[in-house]
Amino acid sequence: MSLETEIAALVAANNKLIDYFNGKKTAIDAAVSAAIAAAPSMVRVYWVDQQLGDDANGLGTEASPFKTLQQAINATPDGGRVQAWLSKDYVMDKHINLTGRRLIVAGVAGSGRRLTINEFMPEGDTLLRMGSFWASNDSTVQLVNVTVSLPASSAGDLSAYYGLVFASGSSAPIMLQLRMYNCAFELRGTFRGKLFGPGSVLFALSMIGTAVPSALNGSLIPGVSAGTLSKDVGHVVTNLSSL
Amino acid sequence: MQKTFLNVVYGDNTYNGFDFDALPIGAALLVAQQQIEQAADQARSAVLGDPLRAIENQLAEDEAKAFKQAGYAGEVPLTVQALVDAQGVEPMEAAEAILQEAQAWHAAVCSIRAARLKGKVEVLKATTHAQAEAYADTAINAIRASVSGIV
């Protein structure tokens, strides 16, 4: 075999190798793109309008908002974070199940958005609860630029779960966490519930630009009485001086 | 003065994590007064150390003063003798050194007290956050200046 023939064979083999490489590269690129496109975004931003929104057909956009915070959570992957902008004031009269999501409920700064918490009686129960965030696993709650309106508590015994953020059972987070940024409280009467309910034994409470009425002292953390200095309570991490 | 992440109890509310300018004016004045007190506490602590050390200093001053009034005669007080032993100086020299140091502490404490009391009263005259901040900063700077060179 002449040298020319051997070189021609080598070039042919090399070209086949290049073709094979290019084919594989294109296939790999396409597979990676498809995988990225298929992976759900773990960070979601939705709008919620309790009056005009639509959980069944809404897109969660400002123009096509969801109706409930629960739908904003459900549309977010487990372990993800959802920022729910309130288009209007929102009434909470049931549990909102976070099921592992990290939730931010926000009003546009200066909008005066109100989160009105009402009592309710769970089906099959005999003790009143209040609208609340039911945390589990990695759940955290942040409230931003909203006024939290707490109910005048009814007479009689209240459920231990009569608290704004609580957990229950084996799925409870290691630590119940609540951050309030530029929020305010409104008391519609004597509130006998808690900011944190039961479920976890560790608590993180961060308040930035948020005033707490003295009537809520002792109602922030279960088992921590009014006037307790935060530095004396090892299971509570907070920037508040006293509880 | 510190102007961010402020906590203050004022009226029927506890204001948590507030910017100074976002506080109601009454709460802002209270915060300004508290920061003057805080600066005074820090300065006093820097000069005198812990309360037990202050007692020791007071004891040394009392004994040195009595020793001086006795014309440096008689038994050398133990607090004076301690300085004699430590520094190898004469008893009279040790007593004078103790009194000189005590005089510096007195002056500093009086300066801190004057700046603190004046500053707290002046802050109450403020009708704006900016005025309150200016009064507080003046008082805090005066308090810190009181102890510079002593500690």
Side-chain angles (χ1 to χ4, degrees):
Chain A
M1 187 179 287
S2 69
L3 183 59
E4 286 81 1
T5 304
E6 286 185 358
I7 291 174
L10 187 60
V11 169
N14 187 52
N15 285 339
K16 282 179 69 176
L17 189 60
I18 290 172
D19 289 345
Y20 182 79
F21 168 80
N22 284 336
K24 280 292 181 188
K25 179 179 181 295
T26 302
I28 291 169
D29 286 349
V32 169
S33 296
I36 290 172
S41 169
M42 299 301 284
V43 179
R44 304 294 178 97
V45 177
Y46 293 124
W47 285 80
V48 173
D49 186 328
Q50 204 170 32
Q51 296 169 26
L52 303 177
D54 186 338
D55 280 352
N57 301 306
L59 301 175
T61 61
E62 188 171 10
S64 175
F66 292 137
K67 187 177 185 64
T68 65
L69 287 171
Q70 190 64 63
Q71 178 57 25
I73 292 164
N74 294 347
T76 303
D78 189 354
R81 184 180 76 229
V82 52
Q83 175 145 358
W85 289 98
L86 297 181
S87 300
K88 294 192 176 66
D89 293 348
Y90 194 92
V91 176
M92 285 175 55
D93 55 4
K94 58 184 71 172
H95 298 312
I96 293 175
N97 294 294
L98 301 181
T99 52
R101 281 73 164 178
R102 289 169 285 150
L103 173 66
I104 303 165
V105 178
V108 174
S111 64
R113 283 286 162 267
R114 185 174 302 270
L115 198 59
T116 299
I117 313 297
N118 288 340
E119 295 179 330
F120 73 100
M121 182 68 78
E123 197 175 319
D125 207 337
T126 57
L127 295 175
L128 280 168
R129 301 187 183 188
M130 60 181 248
S132 51
F133 300 102
W134 190 333
S136 58
N137 298 316
D138 298 328
S139 299
T140 62
V141 179
Q142 298 186 55
L143 304 177
V144 177
N145 300 325
V146 295
T147 294
V148 178
S149 176
L150 296 172
S153 300
S154 298
D157 290 339
L158 303 173
S159 167
Y161 297 104
Y162 196 105
L164 187 62
V165 181
F166 75 93
S168 176
S170 60
S171 66
I174 295 172
M175 173 179 274
L176 282 176
Q177 300 180 58
L178 172 64
R179 174 179 181 258
M180 301 181 77
Y181 179 82
N182 287 343
C183 290
F185 286 98
E186 176 191 68
L187 301 176
R188 305 201 299 275
T190 301
F191 174 71
R192 295 193 292 120
K194 300 282 185 187
L195 198 63
F196 280 114
S200 297
V201 293
L202 304 177
F203 301 89
L205 176 59
S206 168
M207 288 191 178
I208 307 294
T210 299
V212 177
S214 57
L216 285 182
N217 292 344
S219 299
L220 303 178
I221 311 287
V224 176
S225 57
T228 301
L229 297 179
S230 305
K231 66 181 178 64
D232 295 335
V233 190
H235 65 296
V236 180
V237 179
T238 181
N239 68 312
L240 276 62
S241 304
S242 69
L243 299 167
Chain B
M1 62 178 290
Q2 182 189 337
K3 292 186 64 185
T4 56
F5 301 115
L6 299 166
N7 288 1
V8 60
V9 178
Y10 175 73
D12 286 335
N13 287 289
T14 302
Y15 295 85
N16 300 300
F18 267 71
D19 286 343
F20 181 73
D21 293 334
L23 287 168
I25 185 66
L29 300 186
L30 189 56
V31 162
Q33 285 192 315
Q34 288 173 347
Q35 291 199 25
I36 292 170
E37 287 281 9
Q38 193 177 36
D41 289 346
Q42 289 168 348
R44 213 182 293 112
S45 176
V47 173
L48 296 174
D50 66 33
L52 291 177
R53 191 190 300 171
I55 291 173
E56 180 188 327
N57 292 341
Q58 184 65 52
L59 180 63
E61 182 190 353
D62 291 346
E63 290 191 345
K65 192 180 290 180
F67 185 50
K68 182 177 183 179
Q69 285 171 345
Y72 305 110
E75 192 175 346
V76 178
L78 290 177
T79 54
V80 177
Q81 186 61 48
L83 194 61
V84 169
D85 294 342
Q87 297 187 354
V89 295
E90 292 300 315
M92 184 176 83
E93 201 176 341
E96 287 296 337
I98 290 171
L99 292 173
Q100 200 170 12
E101 195 173 1
Q103 182 56 39
W105 290 333
H106 282 197
V109 169
C110 290
S111 295
I112 293 168
R113 180 175 169 79
R116 176 175 66 87
L117 295 177
K118 183 182 176 193
K120 286 181 66 178
V121 170
E122 282 190 330
V123 158
L124 291 181
K125 298 176 189 168
T127 56
T128 65
H129 290 72
Q131 284 176 351
E133 182 185 349
Y135 283 132
D137 280 340
T138 300
I140 290 168
N141 289 336
I143 287 168
R144 288 176 180 162
S146 301
V147 297
S148 66
I150 297 173
V151 294

